Amino acid sequence: MFPQRLDSPLAYDIAKAMMDGFNRHYQLFRTESARAKHRFETADWHGQQRAQRERIEFYDLRVREASMRLESEFKGGEQTMNVWQQVKLHYIGLLVNHQQPELAETFFNSVTTKILHRSYFQNDFIFVRPAVSTEYIENEEPTAKPTYRAYYPSPETLQANVVKLVQDFELRCEFEDLARDAGYVVDALQKRLGDAKLRANFQIQVLSSLFYRNKGAYIVGKIINGFNEVPVALPLLHNKHGKLVIDAALFGEDDLLILFSFARAYFMVDMGIPSAYVQFLRSMMPRMPRAEIYNALGLAKQGKTLFYRDFLYHLRHSTDKFRIAPGIKGMVMLVFDLPSFPYVFKVIKDYYPPQKDTTREQIKGKYLLVKQHDRVGRMADTQEYSEVAFPRERFDDELIAEIEKFAPSQLEISDRDGDGKVEVIIKHVYIERRMIPLNIYLQEAFDAGVDEPVAKEQIERAVVEYGNAIKDLVAANIFPGDMLWKNFGITRHGKVVFYDYDEIEYITDCKFRKVPVPRNEEDEMSGEVWYSVGPKDVFPETFGPFLLGNDAVRDVFMQHHADLLDAAFWQNHQSRIQAGHVFDVFPYEQDKRFAHAKDISVA
């Protein structure tokens, strides 16, 4: 129980110091996000990518600063339980009228868990459950922007309202022809609405800040008509003349889910009240967990907190057991899952076969690279956790034996809290969205018969998407390394996503070569590699034997992606990247783009 009186000035000072640390963090986070507008206006694409990468590190830096201050000024780790109970109560008091209370609670947890013994990891001392509601938070400042703006057009003023809602973002760039683009949007909207009558409440609501990512800025909102709500996003891009255009109109939850996908880089958005943005977005994408929405907005630590709460809630309301994940076992990662939970858990093994010349730290470095890089919709985001405790009775014995065999350093089985509950503690784990492994997806089609129309269509869709995924990765300066089908997965939207990162390299660090002409007949007949191969050498023409053993797969691949077997394809992209070119990789299909799309380069 909490003490009834808050009679410790020291506790208040500690709470105030932590709140100061959080406020500093969010001010810096928000300032960097707001600068995305200027980078977009000036087409500073390298600066935009650099800022997206560096902003990820802000949180840990501020937590470290706050922890050091609490230790140096207040000897935080030496304070009693009574003091720390009061610290939390004082902190809750400081959250009254705060505009980011949920983020501040998570910051409090991050700092205290660095300082305190794990016996304090309960709701008396940290925010195991949220203490402050995020409903209906408003910024009462006269100059503050509302969370969203509403427009009430009639059929006659619809185009003019689209022009106005774009102009209200006050971009300091000239549009090539905004009225023309607004006309495209209206045509697309009318096609979407069909014969539906415009009701009295017909309106367009758009979030007050643009969503910036890479070379694009996105207007995000929804159209309300009667009882129907239609999510909408309008991508703004620079054309080859440096003028702005509305590139497409994206409608519906599925289009928005792809735009906000876990396989894409985080947005830069200037948000005074992030929970209000999350609530608005959740109304448009009810199938997207709040944790993933916070991630997409760049608030990954809050996403991590919510994910873990969702996970614990799921454990309490399920009875199935963790098991070794289906599919071909990896040489570097041990993967397990809970069938009822749509994520997989990946643990770095202690031992690797000789062909895997790597270390645990190198593998962690690859995962960090992916976290900080532009994932272009083709690399799964991961959440990284340490010291994760699971109930022992929920683990399949075969899985325990697998971990004991391949990753014993990462496993502890104990009753460490002394409460009689035996737990499986995983020292370090990555968690990511579960997908259907591409090799299993293809095998299902093979089993059905490659001449069956449905199976044939499945094979073609998978192989075309696989090649598209590799080309998008190339555009993002990523060479997957191990390109086998088993290292790619199919998402619920049919997109192919890469998820095995231990061999990825930057395209610019690789040396793409053609296989040399044999010097003699002995070379030609040799089953061994008779030419020199450097550590970064890649021979694209050798991909075929590993990937194209099935005739049906080969036919589709050679029709759509034969260029991936040619060293010249890789060399050309490498040269352009080295020259500073930033490719366009669109989070929507080409057929959704408007007529002027030819003025914008395509990766």
Side-chain angles (χ1 to χ4, degrees):
M1 295 292 293
F2 283 128
Q4 296 302 307
R5 295 175 56 209
L6 298 180
D7 54 5
S8 170
L10 173 63
Y12 176 81
D13 290 343
I14 293 173
K16 183 66 166 60
M18 269 206 274
M19 182 59 73
D20 290 345
F22 170 75
N23 289 339
R24 169 173 159 73
H25 159 66
Y26 197 72
Q27 180 186 21
L28 292 170
F29 177 92
R30 189 174 177 188
T31 298
E32 192 60 72
S33 301
R35 287 175 180 157
K37 180 175 186 285
H38 177 71
R39 291 188 291 265
F40 176 76
E41 291 167 338
T42 57
D44 179 11
W45 310 134
H46 290 289
Q48 199 79 300
Q49 290 180 338
R50 184 171 57 253
Q52 287 174 190
R53 183 170 60 251
E54 292 175 351
R55 192 186 62 170
I56 291 172
E57 301 174 7
F58 281 14
Y59 187 87
D60 288 340
L61 291 172
R62 301 293 87 75
V63 167
R64 197 174 305 127
E65 286 177 4
S67 302
M68 291 171 63
R69 182 184 175 192
L70 262 59
E71 287 289 18
S72 63
E73 292 187 26
F74 306 106
K75 306 295 182 192
E78 300 174 16
Q79 301 304 324
T80 65
M81 281 191 168
N82 182 63
V83 168
W84 276 106
Q85 283 182 324
Q86 293 196 37
V87 169
K88 183 182 176 186
L89 280 178
H90 280 299
Y91 198 82
I92 292 172
L94 294 171
L95 290 175
V96 175
N97 296 324
H98 202 285
Q99 292 178 7
Q100 305 94 33
E102 77 284 21
L103 308 187
E105 289 179 356
T106 291
F107 188 85
F108 182 97
N109 288 353
S110 297
V111 175
T112 52
T113 53
K114 273 189 173 296
I115 295 173
L116 302 180
H117 185 268
R118 69 177 315 278
S119 60
Y120 286 78
F121 297 0
Q122 51 182 288
N123 205 50
D124 282 358
F125 305 100
I126 65 174
F127 294 93
V128 175
R129 296 184 300 275
V132 178
S133 170
T134 58
E135 298 292 319
Y136 307 112
I137 299 176
E138 293 289 342
N139 187 336
E140 303 296 342
E141 295 292 327
T143 58
K145 293 187 297 187
T147 298
Y148 65 88
R149 295 189 288 263
Y151 301 83
Y152 304 94
S154 65
E156 296 75 27
T157 64
L158 190 50
Q159 183 172 351
N161 272 261
V162 172
V163 169
K164 184 176 188 319
L165 74 83
V166 175
Q167 291 175 333
D168 284 347
F169 287 101
E170 299 180 344
L171 286 167
R172 297 176 183 176
C173 295
E174 184 181 352
F175 275 80
E176 182 179 74
D177 190 338
L178 182 53
R180 173 203 65 190
D181 294 355
Y184 288 146
V185 173
V186 170
D187 289 345
L189 173 58
Q190 290 173 337
K191 184 177 179 181
R192 173 74 189 207
L193 294 175
D195 296 329
K197 178 182 177 182
L198 298 192
R199 302 296 177 180
N201 69 334
F202 179 71
Q203 59 187 284
I204 304 172
Q205 296 179 356
V206 294
L207 287 163
S208 295
S209 292
L210 287 167
F211 287 61
Y212 298 95
R213 185 170 62 201
N214 299 327
K215 297 170 74 173
Y218 298 84
I219 297 171
V220 177
K222 56 187 173 183
I223 294 152
I224 298 174
N225 189 37
F227 298 112
N228 296 318
E229 294 188 6
V230 180
V232 61
L234 304 179
L236 310 180
L237 301 178
H238 290 255
N239 66 11
K240 65 184 180 182
H241 307 294
K243 302 290 182 66
L244 290 184
V245 297
I246 303 176
D247 191 59
L250 310 178
F251 294 110
E253 183 183 6
D254 282 344
D255 279 358
L256 271 290
L257 285 170
I258 292 172
L259 180 63
F260 282 80
S261 166
F262 63 87
R264 297 196 176 276
Y266 307 138
F267 284 107
M268 291 249 179
V269 193
D270 180 19
M271 302 171 291
I273 306 173
S275 60
Y277 273 66
V278 171
Q279 184 174 334
F280 189 98
L281 291 167
R282 192 86 198 281
S283 74
M284 299 161 58
M285 300 177 286
R287 289 182 292 168
M288 190 172 189
R290 283 190 307 145
E292 290 187 8
I293 296 177
Y294 273 103
N295 287 342
L297 297 175
L299 299 166
K301 188 62 179 183
Q302 186 63 22
K304 190 173 174 179
T305 296
L306 291 177
F307 173 86
Y308 196 66
R309 286 174 179 163
D310 289 345
F311 171 60
L312 293 178
Y313 184 84
H314 181 87
L315 278 182
R316 285 194 295 271
H317 295 82
S318 61
T319 57
D320 55 335
K321 290 191 174 186
F322 291 95
R323 60 173 186 177
I324 300 170
I328 300 172
K329 293 179 181 178
M331 288 186 271
V332 168
M333 305 296 279
L334 187 155
V335 185
F336 64 93
D337 70 353
L338 187 68
S340 63
F341 193 60
Y343 295 84
V344 296
F345 301 76
K346 303 171 72 169
V347 179
I348 302 174
K349 293 181 178 180
D350 290 349
Y351 318 105
Y352 324 116
Q355 63 266 40
K356 291 288 187 179
D357 182 19
T358 188
T359 66
R360 176 178 300 278
E361 290 309 311
Q362 287 174 336
I363 294 165
K364 291 170 74 173
K366 302 286 188 183
Y367 274 76
L368 180 60
L369 183 157
V370 172
K371 171 69 74 173
Q372 295 177 340
H373 200 76
D374 175 14
R375 294 186 294 280
V376 294
R378 300 299 188 176
M379 291 189 288
D381 191 17
T382 56
Q383 294 288 356
E384 185 177 6
Y385 290 86
S386 299
E387 301 289 329
V388 181
F390 306 85
R392 170 62 183 90
E393 69 269 15
R394 299 295 295 275
F395 265 64
D396 183 281
D397 290 341
E398 184 183 0
L399 172 57
I400 292 291
E402 188 86 355
I403 302 172
E404 287 176 336
K405 180 179 179 181
F406 292 105
S409 73
Q410 300 303 299
L411 177 67
E412 177 187 341
I413 301 176
S414 68
D415 174 15
R416 63 179 180 180
D417 291 332
D419 56 5
K421 297 178 182 177
V422 178
E423 295 177 315
V424 173
I425 297 103
I426 304 294
K427 303 292 186 182
H428 181 261
V429 63
Y430 295 103
I431 304 176
E432 67 185 36
R433 267 278 180 182
R434 182 165 57 211
M435 292 170 270
I436 303 171
L438 192 52
N439 62 307
I440 292 178
Y441 186 82
L442 286 170
Q443 189 61 53
E444 290 173 354
F446 299 154
D447 293 343
V450 296
D451 293 326
E452 290 294 321
V454 173
K456 191 173 182 179
E457 180 184 345
Q458 185 168 324
I459 292 169
E460 181 169 4
R461 181 170 60 247
V463 174
V464 170
E465 258 294 289
Y466 167 80
N468 290 341
I470 292 176
K471 288 177 177 177
D472 285 347
L473 290 172
V474 172
N477 194 23
I478 291 292
F479 175 60
D482 192 342
M483 292 167 57
L484 294 176
W485 306 99
K486 70 181 181 69
N487 297 324
F488 293 77
I490 295 274
T491 71
R492 61 184 172 184
H493 295 105
K495 304 293 285 185
V496 167
V497 172
F498 183 57
Y499 52 59
D500 191 334
Y501 306 142
D502 60 278
E503 290 190 16
I504 64 170
E505 299 285 352
Y506 289 118
I507 292 287
T508 47
D509 288 343
C510 298
K511 185 176 182 181
F512 296 97
R513 297 173 55 191
K514 287 182 66 69
V515 173
V517 176
R519 296 165 298 184
N520 50 47
E521 187 176 344
E522 186 177 326
D523 284 347
E524 194 167 1
M525 300 300 293
S526 173
E528 302 294 326
V529 175
W530 45 267
Y531 45 88
S532 64
V533 179
K536 300 285 188 178
D537 284 355
V538 180
F539 299 88
E541 62 197 277
T542 65
F543 298 163
F546 298 99
L547 302 175
L548 310 178
N550 182 283
D551 290 341
V553 168
R554 170 177 281 277
D555 291 344
V556 176
F557 187 92
M558 296 306 292
Q559 180 183 349
H560 294 276
H561 299 301
D563 49 354
L564 289 175
L565 305 181
D566 185 355
F569 167 86
W570 301 83
Q571 291 165 351
N572 290 339
H573 276 71
Q574 184 182 57
S575 297
R576 295 186 69 187
I577 293 168
Q578 288 170 332
H581 181 74
V582 177
F583 288 89
D584 295 284
V585 181
F586 300 103
Y588 43 91
E589 299 299 328
Q590 292 293 315
D591 60 9
K592 294 184 183 294
R593 304 182 68 203
F594 292 147
H596 51 61
K598 62 181 181 294
D599 287 339
I600 299 170
S601 61
V602 181

